[in-house]
Amino acid sequence: MKNGKPKVGVLALQGDFEAHGKALARAGADPVEVRTAAELDSVDGLVIPGGESTTMLKLLHYENLFEPLRAFGAAKPIFGTCAGAILLANDVSHPRQESLGLMDIGVQRNAYGRQLDSRIARLEPGEESRLTDADIEAVFIRAPIIRRVGGQARVLASYAGDPVLVEQGRHLVATFHPELTEDPRVHALFLDKVRENGR
Ligand code: GLN
């Protein structure tokens, strides 16, 4: 924490980490790129960006970051978007793949048919989400679908009947890309978690 600004890392091995850095700064954080376990140690929370989860997983092992990341998540908040949500889930299908297992959700990769591969939608956040003042513009890019939500997890917003923004304790996942729109509310929600966790 610096001048009341939480220091939030963005996993910068692959994917759209730069856009997350900008979105975190807009929402009031001090963003830093994380590529090593030492850098991970220095942050109060972490964003795992969108990208290609299989590639990210390989790089996590190659950089010896898989176990440090799991340990980090046992104590500090992680926000996973799209590929990041896939990495945080307990179980991953289509195809099956190893994951950090930090959130009790089941995800199916690349779950929207080809026609709907990528699109922009408007979400009405649920009453409990603290995001209720206006719809959220959601950009989906080869997104997974969250097929199962465990008892400890809470759905904050859905699209076409499927959960797309889910929290569980200190962690948050989105199957869309809030870093690609100007609306800072989803990142701000994560910063609230980082601040609460630091208390
Ligand atoms: N399709 C990618 C995967 O399965 C995720 C897409 C994204 O992060 N935008 O890893």
Side-chain angles (χ1 to χ4, degrees), residues 49-54 81-84 86 109-110 141-144 177:
E52 217 291 314
S53 58
T54 311
T81 57
C82 207
I86 296 169
R109 297 176 59 200
N110 302 316
I141 305 170
R142 305 202 71 214
H177 290 265

Side-chain angles (χ1 to χ4, degrees), residues 11-117:
L11 186 69
L13 298 179
Q14 193 263 341
D16 75 335
F17 52 87
E18 280 182 17
H20 270 290
K22 289 180 187 142
L24 284 166
R26 276 201 297 273
D30 175 20
V32 284
E33 292 182 359
V34 166
R35 294 184 180 83
T36 64
E39 286 166 346
L40 186 60
D41 266 347
S42 76
V43 297
D44 307 316
L46 183 77
V47 173
I48 305 182
E52 217 291 314
S53 58
T54 311
T55 308
M56 238 185 262
L57 196 57
K58 279 188 192 142
L59 292 171
L60 282 178
H61 283 297
Y62 187 76
E63 302 291 340
N64 290 317
L65 269 173
F66 189 84
E67 285 307 329
L69 210 51
R70 197 174 251 172
F72 180 91
K76 292 181 181 172
I78 303 183
F79 175 25
T81 57
C82 207
I86 296 169
L87 288 175
L88 282 183
N90 261 358
D91 47 271
V92 178
S93 65
H94 193 239
R96 296 195 68 78
Q97 164 171 295
E98 189 188 19
S99 55
L100 293 162
L102 289 166
M103 279 195 60
D104 189 13
I105 55 172
V107 301
Q108 179 187 348
R109 297 176 59 200
N110 302 316
Y112 294 95
R114 274 212 163 165
Q115 298 286 339
L116 294 174
D117 230 355

Side-chain angles (χ1 to χ4, degrees), residues 19-29 31 178-184 187 191:
H20 270 290
K22 289 180 187 142
L24 284 166
R26 276 201 297 273
E179 76 284 7
L180 297 182
T181 51
E182 297 291 308
D183 185 347
H187 285 82
L191 294 191

